[in-house]
Amino acid sequence: MHLETIISHTHIMTENVKKLIETAVKGIQEKKGCSINIVDMEGMDGAICQAFVVCEGNSPSQVSAIADSVEETMRKDLKEKPIRTAGLENAIWVAMDYVDVMVHIFLPDARDFYNLEALWQDAAITEVPDID
């Protein structure tokens, strides 16, 4: 299924948020990030943004490479920079803040431990199929 079709099934309304999500996913997939979920935070009490894009890499070096790819793709395609990026020093969990969209890149064990998607269990979650 094409990414635009997947994103159109989410409840996210603004085109800007959809473009941020599409571009983040493109950057993630460029470095073979996997298990991508889009967490639609719109209308959620206490939400700090409109959506999370959550994925994982298999090693700290892959997590760093995914973060670099997301940042470069966002800059080239949308002229966007994160207002803050945290976690690059250990590359266990990298969080990138694009104001309306937060990108979270985890090692598998850290993703299981923090279980970010379950913290927002009332939010709609859209799974993006892994590419081969």
Side-chain angles (χ1 to χ4, degrees):
M1 186 180 293
H2 194 265
L3 184 58
E4 288 178 13
T5 304
I6 293 167
I7 292 174
S8 71
H9 293 321
T10 66
H11 296 103
I12 299 165
M13 301 296 175
T14 70
E15 283 303 311
N16 183 54
V17 171
K18 288 181 184 179
K19 286 179 184 176
L20 287 167
I21 291 169
E22 288 172 6
T23 306
V25 170
K26 178 181 170 184
I28 292 165
Q29 290 177 330
E30 190 71 29
K31 296 298 178 184
K32 308 284 191 239
C34 60
S35 302
I36 303 168
N37 285 336
I38 300 164
V39 182
D40 183 349
M41 307 291 285
E42 190 170 343
M44 301 291 298
D45 287 340
I48 59 172
C49 61
Q50 292 187 36
F52 285 164
V53 178
V54 184
C55 72
E56 57 190 62
N58 293 316
S59 67
S61 59
Q62 186 183 19
V63 168
S64 291
I66 292 167
D68 289 345
S69 180
V70 169
E71 185 168 352
E72 181 178 332
T73 305
M74 291 285 223
R75 183 182 47 77
K76 285 167 77 174
D77 292 5
L78 301 178
K79 310 241 183 308
E80 293 279 349
K81 293 181 183 179
I83 62 167
R84 184 150 195 265
T85 299
L88 284 172
E89 50 285 335
N90 295 334
I92 294 169
W93 172 11
V94 174
M96 306 175 78
D97 187 347
Y98 286 93
V99 182
D100 289 331
V101 174
M102 295 272 308
V103 179
H104 297 274
I105 309 160
F106 287 96
L107 287 177
D109 288 345
R111 186 175 187 175
D112 290 344
F113 179 79
Y114 291 105
N115 204 1
L116 193 61
E117 290 99 332
L119 289 175
W120 298 97
Q121 61 190 6
D122 293 338
I125 297 176
T126 304
E127 294 181 14
V128 178
D130 290 340
I131 57 172
D132 296 325

